[in-house]
C-alpha cells in the first residue's frame, strides 16, 4: 500500500502533529457573549483560542468534548463557574465503570503544549535520563523505587546509574517510609523535575552493592532514545533478533528503520520485541512496525486497524473531516522527523510469521494495537511478561490556549473485527479468551540488563521458542506464588501528579 498525500502529511508533522480539524483551532466566527446553559452547546470552533477569559476556555472544552468525546453522552453537564480550567477538564469524562468494575476512562489528561510538542517531535523532556519503576505494599507503605533503564549520554549514565539500582532516598527523604504529603511531594519533585537546573540528591544502592552512595543530579533536557539495544543473538537453534522499543514518538522512526534493517541483513529467524516500557504514541508508526515485522505478502490488502468515533460521526472523522476508511499497514517512511529520516522510503521487513513480545502493565495503547493488529492477520504473537494496560482507545492531541488536551475520541479493531481488550492482553499457557495470548507470565527482572539472555523475560522467550512452553521453574512459581510483597504503581508515588506522558498514548496521526 503506497502512501498518498505524503507532502500534506509532512506539513502536518512539521506543525507539531496537532491535528485540530473541523475548526478546532479557528476563532474566526467568535460569539460576542457566552454563558453556560445546561444542554446547550456553542460550536467549539467559535470559542477556540480565546484565552483572555476562563469561561470561554471552559466552554470550549465543554463543547469540544460534547462533539468529539467517545462517550460524550455520559458526561455530566456541570456549570463551569466554580472550577479552574484544568479542574473543569477533569470532569469532562465518563464516570461510568467498565463491565469488570474498573473506571471506563483511565486515560484523560492534559499537559502544556510546549512540552508536548518538544517531547513528541524531538523526544525531549526534563529529567536525568533514568526511568524508574515504583512499587509499594498494598497498604501504601514500604515503597521501592528501582531504575528500569537509562538514556545514553544523560546525567544518570554519567553518574554510573544503571538498571536495577534502588533509590533509597530523595533529598534526604526516605522513599520506603514516606507517608505525609510534604515528604511525598519532595520525592515526586525530585524524581520528576519540572525545570532544568534543579539539583536533587539521591541516595542509591546499586545492583549487587552492599553499601549506598550519594549522587547529585541536575535536571536537564534529555533526548530519549526510543529504540535501544538492537542485538543479534546466536543460539543453537537459530538466530534471534532483539530490540528494545520504548515509545512510538517521531524520533523512533529512524531507530526502527535502522534496527529492522540490521536484523534483516542478519537474516534473523525470530524477533523478540521488548515493549515492556512502551506506553504508546503514533498509531501510524505501529502500523509501520507491523509491516516491518510481517512483510509485504502478509500485510497486502489487510487492515491494520479500523477506527470508529462516537455516534454523531458514524462515517466521518470529526477531527479531520475525512470519510472513515480502513487503515492499512504502511510500507513507507513518513518523515515524522525529516531531519532524521525523509518520507517516502520503502521500509525494510523481516517477513516473520511470529513474534515474541515482552510486556508489563506499562505496555499500552499503540503497543497493544500492534499486538492486536498482527494477530488480526494471523501473525503468531507469543506474549512473555505481564498483562498490558488495556487501552483500545485513542485521541488527537488538541491544543487550546497553551494546553494540549488528550480526551478519548475513538476506538479501534483489527482485521478480524476484534478490539475488546480493555483489561489488557494476558499471557497464558492455556488461552481461552481472545484477550489471552499464548505465552508466559514472567515478572520484570531488574537483576539483569535488558537484552541479556539471562534476563527472565528474554530467557523465557528463548526457552518458549525451543520448547513451545514456559520454563518449568516459572510454571511452578506461578502455581505456588503467594500474594506479592509489592504491587506496581507505575511512575508516581501517589496521585499527586499526572502520569508520565509516554504512558497510555495512542494518537491517530496518519495521512489521508
Amino acid at each position: 500500500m503506497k502512501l498518498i498525500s505524503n507532502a500534506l502529511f509532512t506539513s502536518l508533522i512539521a506543525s507539531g502533529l496537532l491535528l485540530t480539524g473541523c475548526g478546532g483551532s479557528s476563532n474566526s466566527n467568535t460569539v460576542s457573549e457566552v454563558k453556560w446553559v445546561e444542554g446547550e452547546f456553542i460550536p467549539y470552533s467559535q470559542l477556540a483560542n480565546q484565552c483572555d477569559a476562563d469561561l470561554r476556555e471552559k466552554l470550549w472544552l465543554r463543547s469540544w468534548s460534547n462533539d468529539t468525546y467517545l462517550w460524550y453522552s455520559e458526561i455530566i453537564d456541570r456549570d463551569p463557574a466554580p472550577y479552574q480550567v484544568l479542574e473543569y477538564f477533569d470532569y469532562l469524562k465518563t464516570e461510568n465503570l467498565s463491565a469488570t468494575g474498573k473506571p471506563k476512562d483511565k486515560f484523560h489528561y492534559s499537559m502544556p503544549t510546549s512540552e508536548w510538542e518538544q517531547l513528541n517531535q524531538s523526544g525531549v523532556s526534563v529529567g536525568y535520563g533514568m526511568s524508574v519503576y515504583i512499587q509499594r505494599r498494598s497498604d501504601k507503605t514500604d515503597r521501592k523505587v528501582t531504575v528500569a533503564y537509562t538514556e545514553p549520554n544523560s546525567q544518570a549514565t554519567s553518574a554510573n546509574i544503571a538498571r536495577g539500582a534502588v533509590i533509597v532516598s530523595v533529598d534526604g527523604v526516605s522513599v520506603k517510609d514516606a507517608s505525609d504529603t510534604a515528604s511525598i511531594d519532595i520525592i515526586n519533585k525530585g524524581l520528576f523535575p519540572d525545570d532544568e537546573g534543579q539539583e536533587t540528591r539521591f541516595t542509591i544502592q546499586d545492583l549487587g552493592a552492599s553499601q549506598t552512595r550519594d549522587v547529585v543530579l541536575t535536571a536537564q533536557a534529555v533526548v530519549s532514545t526510543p529504540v535501544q539495544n538492537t542485538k543479534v543473538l546466536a543460539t543453537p537453534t537459530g538466530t534471534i533478533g532483539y530490540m528494545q522499543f520504548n515509545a512510538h514518538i517521531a524520533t523512533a522512526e529512524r531507530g526502527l528503520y535502522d534496527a529492522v534493517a540490521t536484523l534483516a541483513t542478519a537474516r534473523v529467524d525470530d524477533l523478540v520485541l521488548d515493549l515492556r516500557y512502551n506506553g504508546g504514541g503514533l498509531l501510524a508508526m505501529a502500523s509501520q512496525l507491523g509491516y516491518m515485522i510481517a512483510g509485504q505478502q502478509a500485510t497486502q490488502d489487510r487492515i491494520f486497524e479500523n477506527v470508529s468515533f462516537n455516534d454523531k460521526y458514524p462515517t466521518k472523522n470529526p477531527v479531520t473531516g475525512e470519510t472513515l476508511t480502513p487503515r492499512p499497514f504502511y510500507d513507507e517512511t513518513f518523515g515524522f522527523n525529516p531531519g532524521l529520516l525523509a518520507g517516502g522510503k520503502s521500509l525494510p521487513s523481516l517477513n516473520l510469521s511470529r513474534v515474541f513480545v515482552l510486556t508489563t502493565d506499562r505496555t499500552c495503547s499503540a503497543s497493544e494495537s500492534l499486538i492486536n493488529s498482527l494477530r488480526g492477520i494471523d501473525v503468531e504473537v507469543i506474549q512473555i511478561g505481564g498483562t498490558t494496560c488495556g487501552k483500545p482507545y485513542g485521541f488527537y492531541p488538541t491544543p487550546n490556549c497553551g494546553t494540549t488536551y488528550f480526551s478519548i475520541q475513538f476506538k479501534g479493531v483489527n482485521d478480524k473485527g476484534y478490539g475488546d481488550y480493555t483489561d489488557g492482553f494476558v499471557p497464558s499457557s492455556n488461552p481461552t479468551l481472545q484477550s489471552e495470548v499464548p505465552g508466559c507470565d514472567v515478572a520484570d527482572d531488574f537483576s539483569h540488563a535488558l537484552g541479556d539472555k539471562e534476563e527472565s523475560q528474554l530467557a523465557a522467550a528463548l526457552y518458549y521458542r525451543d520448547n513451545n512452553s514456559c520454563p518449568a521453574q516459572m510454571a511452578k512459581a506461578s502455581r505456588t506464588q503467594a500474594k506479592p510483597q509489592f504491587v506496581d504503581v507505575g511512575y508516581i508515588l501517589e496521585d499527586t501528579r499526572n502520569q508520565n506522558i509516554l504512558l497510555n498514548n495512542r494518537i491517530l496521526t496518519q495521512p489521508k
Side-chain angles (χ1 to χ4, degrees), residues 434-450:
Q434 289 193 71
S435 59
E436 295 176 340
V437 182
C440 313
D441 185 352
V442 182
D444 202 353
D445 174 12
F446 296 108
S447 66
H448 291 87
L450 296 174

Side-chain angles (χ1 to χ4, degrees), residues 41 50 69 78 86 105 112 133 141 174 177 179 206-207 280 295 298 300 360 378 395 401 444 455 467 481-482 505:
F41 298 88
Q50 298 178 46
Y69 185 60
R78 296 177 171 87
L86 295 184
D105 186 350
Y133 206 59
T141 64
S174 170
D177 302 320
S179 57
D206 295 307
L207 180 64
Q300 188 170 11
T360 66
D378 296 316
F395 35 58
C401 296
D444 202 353
E455 189 275 322
N467 299 279
Q481 187 177 22
N505 210 3

Side-chain angles (χ1 to χ4, degrees), residues 449-464:
L450 296 174
D452 183 339
K453 287 195 285 187
E454 298 300 317
E455 189 275 322
S456 292
Q457 289 194 7
L458 178 52
L462 297 177
Y463 183 92
Y464 196 103

Side-chain angles (χ1 to χ4, degrees), residues 375 380-384 426-431 436-440 464:
R375 298 181 79 202
E380 183 183 12
V381 177
I382 309 298
Q383 182 182 356
I384 307 294
V426 183
S428 172
S429 59
N430 185 29
E436 295 176 340
V437 182
C440 313
Y464 196 103

